[in-house]
Amino acid sequence: MVHFEIVRGDITRFPAEAIVNAANRYLEHGGGVAYAIAKAAVGDVREYIRISKEAMQEQVGKDYVEHGEVVVTPAMRLEKDGIKYVIHTVGPYCGGVWDGDKKEKLRKAILGALRKADELGVKTIAFPAISAGIYGCPLEEVVKTFKEVVEKFSKEAKSVEKVYLVLYSEESYRKALEVLNG
Ligand code: ADP
């Protein structure tokens, strides 16, 4: 059984073997958690964008990624906290609107990252609340979707033992806990 836990913190300092980035499809890392990860990993965000785009060409053979496709980059400076990989995945853009299509895209984004972590042989993986920031999806629905996808993934997981959903603000952390427990 894979253990799923909601924690409060900064994902760039979270000691999981793999952390997930809520990226855009071009891996531009311009704002939000993507910018924070790029900044913490190398300092020069443009350099991390260059590394990410190169990895995208090598790993998916295109200059964009679809929901469910992921790209792995090294953790670089984040290795001091035990982080080995950054897995970039792309969630849906909601702009406040939630429906079955958004949910399916989010499911794919989460599952893609979990399967890649398994393939990499990591035991622990930490996610930010994908799509619940600039992409404007309701946090409650994002948390529910995480819970469902991790439960499903539990049945196929080989290496992954712990999945953390890391919430940045106290308010979002409380809200997420309510969804999980309520
Ligand atoms: P998206 O475009 O997918 O919505 P964002 O980066 O805007 O992605 O936000 C995703 C979530 O990550 C938001 O809930 C935001 O508050 C959160 N976030 C931002 N910075 C960090 C961080 N350093 N650690 C963890 N979560 C973060």
Side-chain angles (χ1 to χ4, degrees):
M1 193 66 192
V2 174
H3 173 81
F4 178 57
E5 194 174 328
I6 288 179
V7 295
R8 190 188 165 200
D10 176 351
I11 201 160
T12 66
R13 289 154 175 260
F14 193 83
E17 285 171 87
I19 64 166
V20 177
N21 177 24
N24 61 40
R25 68 201 309 249
Y26 304 110
L27 308 189
E28 299 276 0
H29 316 323
V33 72
Y35 183 85
I37 291 172
K39 187 93 191 150
V42 278
D44 180 355
V45 172
R46 276 176 310 176
E47 175 61 7
Y48 210 60
I49 293 172
R50 193 193 62 72
I51 293 167
S52 302
K53 285 181 180 283
E54 205 175 278
M56 175 162 60
Q57 277 298 345
E58 277 169 21
Q59 295 168 35
V60 296
K62 292 185 298 189
D63 54 8
Y64 65 93
V65 285
E66 321 238 16
H67 306 292
E69 292 179 331
V70 297
V71 173
V72 184
T73 53
M76 304 170 90
R77 287 186 193 166
L78 305 180
E79 281 170 16
K80 71 174 174 9
D81 292 314
I83 300 169
K84 292 185 189 154
Y85 308 104
V86 178
I87 302 175
H88 304 267
T89 198
V90 183
Y93 174 81
C94 292
V97 178
W98 182 256
D99 58 25
D101 176 56
K102 315 278 186 206
K103 184 163 179 122
E104 190 46 35
K105 287 174 176 161
L106 183 60
R107 290 174 66 91
K108 282 187 180 169
I110 299 166
L111 195 57
L114 287 169
R115 286 184 171 155
K116 179 57 76 176
D118 226 26
E119 200 182 301
L120 292 166
V122 309
K123 288 195 170 71
T124 52
I125 177 170
F127 282 85
I130 300 168
S131 290
I134 298 163
Y135 278 9
C137 301
L139 180 69
E140 291 85 345
E141 297 297 342
V142 170
V143 174
K144 267 192 228 165
T145 308
F146 262 98
K147 193 179 168 215
E148 291 163 14
V149 175
V150 174
E151 265 167 30
K152 178 174 182 262
F153 170 73
S154 247
K155 300 188 186 88
E156 63 175 81
K158 291 181 192 75
S159 158
V160 172
E161 293 172 0
K162 287 182 178 161
V163 178
Y164 297 93
L165 176 58
V166 183
L167 278 310
Y168 199 45
S169 73
E170 180 67 32
E171 193 197 340
S172 57
Y173 169 69
R174 280 177 199 281
K175 225 192 232 183
L177 271 188
E178 270 174 35
V179 174
L180 192 69
N181 301 326

